[in-house]
Amino acid sequence: MTTTSSDTEQVPVAAPLVGRPDVNRKRMARLGWGFTTPSLIVIGLVTIFPIVYSVVLSFSAATVTGNGVALNGFTGSNYSLVLSSSKWHYALGFTIIYTLVTVLVELVFGTLIALVLERLTAGRGLMMALLLIPWSMITVINAELWGYIYQGTYGVADAILNAVGLGHPNILGQSTPAIIGLMIADIWKTTPFVAILVLAGLVMLPGDIYEAAEVDGSSGWSTFWRITVPLLRPTLALAVMFRVLQAFGLFDLPYVLTNGGPGTATTSLAILGYNVIFKNLSFGPGAAVATTSALLVLLGCLLSLRTFRVQVGKED
Amino acid sequence: MSDVSMDKVNKVYENGFHAVKDMSLDIADGEFMVLVGPSGCGKTTALRMVAGLEDITSGILRIGGKEVNDETPKERDIAMVFQNYALYPHMTVAQNIGFALKLRKLPKNELDAKVKEAAGILGLTDWLDRKPGQLSGGQRQRVAMGRAIVRQPSVFLMDEPLSNLDAKLRVQMRAEVARIQRQIGVSTIYVTHDQVEAMTMGDRVTVMRDGTLQQVDTPQNLYDSPDNIFVAAFIGSPAQNLYDATVGEGARSIKLGSQDVELPESVVLKRPGLRAYAGKEVVVGMRPEHLRAESSTSTGPKIVGEVDLVESLGSELVVHFTIDAHRVIAEGAVDKDEAAALQSGEGVARVEAKTPVKPGDRVTFSVDIEDMQFFDPKTGLAVRG
């Protein structure tokens, strides 16, 4: 690690010392710009421009015209409209709860699976490969799959619930069961990812620390809470950050599985934004939904990152 | 504080590897016992069996007279210092040292007092709030020691605790660990591959090879009268000069290559067993300091060697020389590079700093024949009584 970083530091510094420093440096700089400009242009066009345009849109009284969208000047009304809307309140609440529940459950199950996998002496590779099947599956396919499982007349879940005497609950037709069904589909798909991440953290923990803890008189539960969890904190924080970012942007799973319904029960912020823009063609308010969501995600990301850094810093 | 006793203890791993063979060893209460041997000799396995980190295949292990084969490390009341220290990186120095006491639910004020006391002994008082990552190697080593001594356990186990320190610090910590052990008086088993550590620290030293115990004795006795060729070659630095030789008729001389070395009556009287070797082969051992480069006028047994290399240590010269006798190499006692040099019949002498020798010289060494060691070439055992 150290050698690599010092190498990369030394190259640009050392090169100008030979021959004519200024000429060399300028030539190197030109070359550098030459290499990076094409990709900067592409990034600018496909990433930065849409972001900036979306922010501009969110502050505009935009209307749809025959030639596209007219911005029609600056206004703050999109935000006041969105922030006071009960639909937005619900979508925000739903997205937050959905994120908290799925991330927490995935973290607990993922850690448990990782602990089991770590102790596995034979067949660990096979188990990991099997586990990764849900994770590697495209979300839309996953959603379709669970759609069949939850289907009211021939779905497996429906049959099982009927067999245990709960009748035909029409899972995706009622708010709470639909939300839970959505969460289960997400947890099924993403827990393996968390498990693999945590497993990677676990196998990096030094074995002699556990022997030291054993000699010190620690065992089982106490070792897990006092040694494993604190040492895994950076890994867990990383997993949480990844998952929070993903879960907060929840779109494709409910879009395919429930289309935000029944009613608006599974309408996440992303689905709400999509509906406002592309169904109502209300570009200004839709952009405001997207921008506030992005800001909230950024905030969540910074918080996770901060926790993560503090933990790593404390260890050094 | 307790004695430790191993009674025909064996360790056979699942893959059939027999790591420790019939090891019987008694460590007295308060004794500092060093287990030494080349890597793979089973010394660490033996230590880990005492710790309870490794199952005992057969035999009985007693601590304080009580059989502890099936007890957990916690129940055995041992403390261990690991090679890589194994400090808890997320805990401060104070928390590291106090962890075992905290698990035992010691009241906070008592725990703090004990941690402070241990930190005081180890000079860690100013570092109690630091994390291991902020400490130097020597300080980490001390924290590992602190974690062990704060418990006041029955037995200390140390697994090459100084091997990660640089040479200078190692010498310093060597003395310090020995001092602390004496201060606390807890029975200690200390594993090392470094025979200098073994010699300087141990009350007694156990030499192991291939899972088998070779000799248990005080450092001085190991050095002066090794039981076999392996111990003779392993203990001492630079290593002892071991050569194949033939005992002359009537055991009055020794033929070392093409040279005849006179064998005074007194030597044979001290080792009557030597008479039986008259006319037969024997392995002779000469410590480097028992060869003196002297003026040709002095009398007594001598050998002549051609000087290959002279290393000056300031206080003395280490003279590498060659004689035409066959050098005996105890497998595992010397490393491979050294073994290659020895194949050519190279020997080493430690002579006074001002002695005028240079490579290419033919030098006459007078031999302290009374200190010469003799071994049977077949069994490798010392020839004494």
Side-chain angles (χ1 to χ4, degrees):
Chain A
M1 265 314 258
T2 8
T3 7
T4 325
S5 67
S6 70
D7 281 353
T8 48
E9 276 164 25
Q10 274 166 13
V11 171
V13 178
L17 292 177
V18 191
R20 296 158 298 171
D22 288 344
V23 175
N24 273 343
R25 193 177 293 156
K26 273 184 188 158
R27 192 190 293 154
M28 290 297 283
R30 251 204 320 272
L31 198 64
W33 279 109
F35 279 130
T36 48
T37 306
S39 54
L40 284 177
I41 289 172
V42 172
I43 291 171
L45 282 176
V46 303
T47 309
I48 297 170
F49 173 73
I51 290 175
V52 172
Y53 186 73
S54 155
V55 174
V56 170
L57 207 54
S58 74
F59 284 106
S60 310
T63 49
V64 186
T65 69
N67 293 328
V69 178
L71 293 178
N72 302 333
F74 175 87
T75 173
S77 65
N78 292 328
Y79 283 94
S80 53
L81 188 71
V82 165
L83 296 180
S84 62
S85 144
S86 62
K87 280 187 181 171
W88 187 77
H89 292 157
Y90 179 83
L92 180 66
F94 167 71
T95 308
I96 288 175
I97 289 171
Y98 181 88
T99 303
L100 288 178
V101 172
T102 53
V103 171
L104 192 71
V105 173
E106 282 159 15
L107 204 64
V108 171
F109 282 171
T111 305
L112 288 176
I113 291 172
L115 286 169
V116 172
L117 281 181
E118 201 223 351
R119 272 162 185 71
L120 225 57
T121 43
R124 192 202 278 182
L126 181 70
M127 286 304 293
M128 275 168 67
L130 290 175
L131 263 175
L132 277 175
I133 291 174
W135 170 246
S136 57
M137 201 177 274
I138 297 164
T139 309
V140 174
I141 308 287
N142 179 37
E144 289 287 351
L145 198 83
W146 283 92
Y148 281 114
I149 293 173
Y150 293 143
Q151 220 278 341
T153 37
Y154 49 78
V156 177
D158 187 77
I160 291 172
L161 291 176
N162 186 37
V164 297
L166 291 173
H168 295 279
N170 186 13
I171 298 165
L172 296 181
Q174 304 176 67
S175 299
T176 309
I179 292 173
I180 294 171
L182 208 61
M183 286 173 170
I184 289 173
D186 194 327
I187 290 163
W188 178 77
K189 177 174 161 60
T190 323
T191 301
F193 168 74
V194 177
I196 300 294
L197 211 62
V198 174
L199 179 65
L202 273 178
V203 295
M204 303 252 295
L205 299 184
D208 56 358
I209 286 185
Y210 285 91
E211 292 188 338
E214 199 182 341
V215 170
D216 269 346
S218 183
S219 56
W221 211 229
S222 144
T223 303
F224 178 73
W225 285 111
R226 291 171 197 270
I227 308 289
T228 307
V229 171
L231 290 181
L232 268 185
R233 228 172 230 170
T235 310
L236 295 177
L238 191 69
V240 166
M241 193 181 79
F242 274 151
R243 289 300 305 132
V244 165
L245 286 179
Q246 239 169 11
F248 210 80
L250 177 70
F251 178 81
D252 37 11
L253 192 63
Y255 184 78
V256 175
L257 199 58
T258 61
N259 198 15
T264 55
T266 57
T267 300
S268 65
L269 284 174
I271 289 196
L272 180 69
Y274 172 85
N275 285 344
V276 173
I277 293 183
F278 296 107
K279 287 193 174 159
N280 301 355
L281 297 181
S282 305
F283 284 79
V289 171
T291 307
T292 45
S293 304
L295 284 176
L296 287 168
V297 168
L298 199 67
L299 194 72
C301 174
L302 284 175
L303 281 175
S304 314
L305 209 64
R306 199 179 147 82
T307 331
F308 174 66
R309 252 200 212 139
V310 166
Q311 291 307 333
V312 172
K314 270 186 182 170
E315 278 185 24
D316 284 341
Chain B
M1 274 173 252
S2 298
D3 58 329
V4 178
S5 139
M6 300 173 85
D7 189 5
K8 292 200 171 166
V9 167
N10 279 276
K11 176 70 193 184
V12 184
Y13 284 102
E14 274 173 27
N15 62 11
F17 180 64
H18 202 157
V20 174
K21 298 164 188 162
D22 275 340
M23 183 167 175
S24 293
L25 183 64
D26 290 305
I27 297 138
D29 191 4
E31 186 176 24
F32 196 122
M33 173 64 85
V34 176
L35 299 189
V36 69
S39 61
C41 73
K43 56 192 190 298
T44 295
T45 307
L47 186 82
R48 290 170 59 85
M49 283 195 285
V50 177
L53 295 171
E54 207 80 70
D55 289 336
I56 296 169
T57 309
S58 70
I60 297 170
L61 171 70
R62 294 186 187 86
I63 294 178
K66 188 173 117 209
E67 184 180 328
V68 295
N69 281 37
D70 298 322
E71 290 192 346
T72 63
K74 184 185 174 184
E75 291 163 335
R76 292 181 194 197
D77 192 24
I78 47 103
M80 186 156 169
V81 178
F82 292 82
Q83 187 171 6
N84 298 317
Y85 317 137
L87 301 179
Y88 310 120
H90 56 295
M91 298 185 195
T92 63
V93 168
Q95 287 167 333
N96 262 286
I97 296 176
F99 187 61
L101 299 180
K102 194 176 175 188
L103 290 170
R104 282 169 176 70
K105 305 220 165 25
L106 208 71
K108 178 103 174 70
N109 53 346
E110 233 177 284
L111 188 149
D112 286 346
K114 288 202 171 190
V115 168
K116 283 218 176 72
E117 190 194 342
I121 292 173
L122 293 157
L124 285 169
T125 310
D126 294 340
W127 305 89
L128 283 172
D129 295 328
R130 301 289 182 100
K131 294 267 171 81
Q134 300 166 306
L135 303 179
S136 70
Q139 287 167 334
R140 287 181 208 191
Q141 214 287 323
R142 268 190 270 258
V143 177
M145 285 288 294
R147 205 163 57 174
I149 66 175
V150 77
R151 301 235 323 259
Q152 297 168 323
S154 309
V155 185
F156 274 153
L157 305 173
M158 304 195 192
D159 184 11
E160 309 222 14
L162 306 183
S163 61
N164 283 344
L165 303 178
D166 64 56
K168 206 169 178 181
L169 197 55
R170 200 180 309 152
V171 173
Q172 189 191 330
M173 286 305 290
R174 204 159 74 195
E176 201 163 328
V177 170
R179 173 183 68 78
I180 291 164
Q181 194 272 342
R182 246 147 242 152
Q183 191 175 340
I184 298 169
V186 173
S187 317
T188 300
I189 307 178
Y190 184 107
V191 162
T192 180
H193 65 272
D194 180 348
Q195 53 93 15
V196 179
E197 261 175 43
M199 294 291 285
T200 51
M201 298 176 83
D203 291 326
R204 283 195 301 159
V205 176
T206 299
V207 183
M208 291 182 73
R209 176 201 196 182
D210 295 338
T212 312
L213 203 144
Q214 300 290 306
Q215 189 173 357
V216 187
D217 217 325
T218 60
Q220 197 61 54
N221 283 350
L222 280 183
Y223 191 80
D224 291 340
S225 45
D227 277 351
N228 59 44
I229 293 178
F230 177 79
V231 176
F234 187 75
I235 298 291
S237 177
Q240 166 140 255
N241 304 303
L242 290 159
Y243 288 104
D244 279 329
T246 311
V247 181
E249 288 303 321
R252 303 295 292 270
S253 68
I254 281 183
K255 199 166 174 61
L256 198 56
S258 58
Q259 306 185 45
D260 275 311
V261 183
E262 169 199 340
L263 202 59
E265 187 72 25
S266 57
V267 174
V268 186
L269 281 175
K270 258 206 269 179
R271 303 168 185 80
L274 212 50
R275 282 188 216 285
Y277 286 84
K280 288 184 191 161
E281 288 194 348
V282 74
V283 173
V284 297
M286 296 170 286
R287 293 279 176 201
E289 64 274 24
H290 294 151
L291 295 172
R292 300 167 199 281
E294 280 184 15
S295 57
S296 51
T297 53
S298 68
T299 55
K302 290 184 184 60
I303 59 169
V304 180
E306 191 178 327
V307 175
D308 299 323
L309 173 71
V310 180
E311 296 171 307
S312 173
L313 300 180
S315 59
E316 62 183 19
L317 298 179
V318 175
V319 179
H320 297 251
F321 61 89
T322 312
I323 59 174
D324 62 354
H326 179 251
R327 182 74 200 231
V328 175
I329 297 157
E331 206 183 317
V334 288
D335 62 41
K336 286 199 170 63
D337 294 337
E338 217 178 328
L342 297 181
Q343 231 114 47
S344 58
E346 189 182 283
V348 174
R350 291 162 65 173
V351 302
E352 278 177 35
K354 299 274 157 48
T355 314
V357 285
K358 57 183 190 300
D361 285 356
R362 283 186 70 77
V363 174
T364 305
F365 296 99
S366 70
V367 183
D368 289 349
I369 200 101
E370 300 286 345
D371 295 313
M372 198 181 247
Q373 297 167 7
F374 300 89
F375 304 92
D376 184 286
K378 285 198 185 69
T379 63
L381 296 176
V383 177
R384 290 186 191 132

